[in-house]
Structure formats: structure tokens, C-alpha cells
Amino acid sequence: MRVLLFAMAKEAAPPFDAGEPVENGAGLTLRRLSKDLAVCLCGVGKVNVALGAQYLIDRFAPTELWNAGVTGCLTDLPAGTIVAATACVQHDMETFGDPPGLIPVLEQVELPCAGADDTLARLAAAGFDPVPGIVASGDWFGRDLKRAQRIRDHFHALVCDMEAAAAAQVCLRNAVPFRCVKVVSDHLFQPSQYEEYQANLPGAVQRLTQALCALELA
């Protein structure tokens, strides 16, 4: 069984907003789309997604956990570009004396994603033009141009979100393969980033839904 984790309801367009509701005590919106797929809306931020990921692992013992959503871009990739994550980093993890992004216990900065080459190949075969890249995550919406540049340059990150790396950390600790697909909705180096996000969100969600269906996640 696979599980699919979204942060926001507006990222989960049909058919991912359907299915049989699953009661839970964790405050999650959880649905069974089929006997082989559960979809969870966890809320924005690293703690919310970590809670959701751990709950899904404990409840369903999945063979794979996927995170999908829209994302801000740290380069000039066009809005609508599909990114297959090769690794995730936590750009806001800093402890005294350790390199930025180093995750305690795991003792690594880059948290590898499973199946990135397979994801890229399947999306390309479906007619998309996906790109591989590192996703930088943190509890920050990205409205600081200098900070965005530092994240890009230090971590070699392509895009920046608020969830993926936390889910990747939970999956690594549980030995569950983690896979991640993001779609560019805005550019973090643009002064009008928020307006761009609002304007591009519907198209980015449509593109994300098409990609997930091509990956047979529906």
C-alpha cells in the first residue's frame, strides 16, 4: 500500500479529494481512495507533516510514502515545472557547532529520496518535462530574498517548501521509502512572489494532479 501526503486541501484536487473518510485521533483529514492508496491532508509546516507521516506509517505500514504539493522555486524554472526530489534538506535546522541542516541522530544533511530516476522516467514517458532537484524545507514561507539566496547557494536546492524534509526524516527513521513530487508555483527571488503564488496556484495544482495520475497514484 502507498500513502500520499499533502499539506493543504487546495493542493488535493480531484480525484485526491474523494474516497472513504478514515477516522483518526490526530486531527488529520484522511481518506482511502482504494485498497492500495490512502491520502492525508496534514496541515502546513514541518511538525504537522511529521505527525501525519508517522501516523500513516503506524496505521498502514505503507510500502512507500509520497509527499506532493506546490513549491517556491530558487531558480528561474518556469511556473508549472514538475520537480522530482532527489533529496531533501532542512534549511532552518541549526544547532550549536554543527553544520547548517545537519539532522541529529541521522547525522546527515541531505535526506535521500527513493525512486527519483523512476519518477523522472515515468513522467517523461507520459509527456512531461520533469527535472530532478533538492527540496529545501523549513517553517518559513520564503519572503526574504537574501535568505532564499543563501538557501539556494548553501544547500544547492532547487525549490523550497515547508514540509518535504520533515516527512523524509520520519521515513528514514522508519525505513519507509520516501518519494516526493513538487510543482513550481512561484519564485522566491521575485519581490512579487506572493502575488505570483496566488496567480499561478490553480495551474500548478492542475499540473500536480496530472503528474500524480501519470504516476498511477490515483
Side-chain angles (χ1 to χ4, degrees), residues 11-90:
E11 294 174 309
F16 300 106
D17 61 349
E20 179 184 353
V22 176
E23 292 294 328
N24 65 91
L28 302 167
T29 299
L30 184 57
R31 306 184 187 96
R32 288 288 294 261
L33 263 68
S34 70
K35 63 182 180 64
D36 298 318
L37 179 66
V39 174
C40 178
L41 309 180
C42 64
V44 171
K46 293 197 302 179
V47 173
N48 281 327
V49 79
L51 184 151
Q54 189 63 60
Y55 186 90
L56 290 169
I57 290 168
D58 292 343
R59 178 93 180 238
F60 297 110
T63 55
E64 291 181 336
L65 188 149
W66 289 71
N67 171 233
V70 300
T71 187
C73 192
L74 295 161
T75 72
D76 59 356
L77 288 175
T81 299
I82 300 169
V83 177
T86 56
C88 299
V89 299
Q90 294 187 36

Side-chain angles (χ1 to χ4, degrees), residues 126-152:
F128 297 100
D129 188 20
V131 298
I134 293 174
V135 179
S137 302
D139 289 325
W140 171 70
F141 187 69
R143 303 184 73 177
D144 180 332
L145 304 186
K146 290 184 178 179
R147 184 173 177 180
Q149 291 169 347
R150 289 196 300 269
I151 292 168
R152 179 196 63 201

Side-chain angles (χ1 to χ4, degrees), residues 102-114:
L102 186 73
I103 304 299
V105 180
L106 291 173
E107 301 304 325
Q108 59 195 89
V109 174
E110 291 192 6
L111 309 178
C113 297

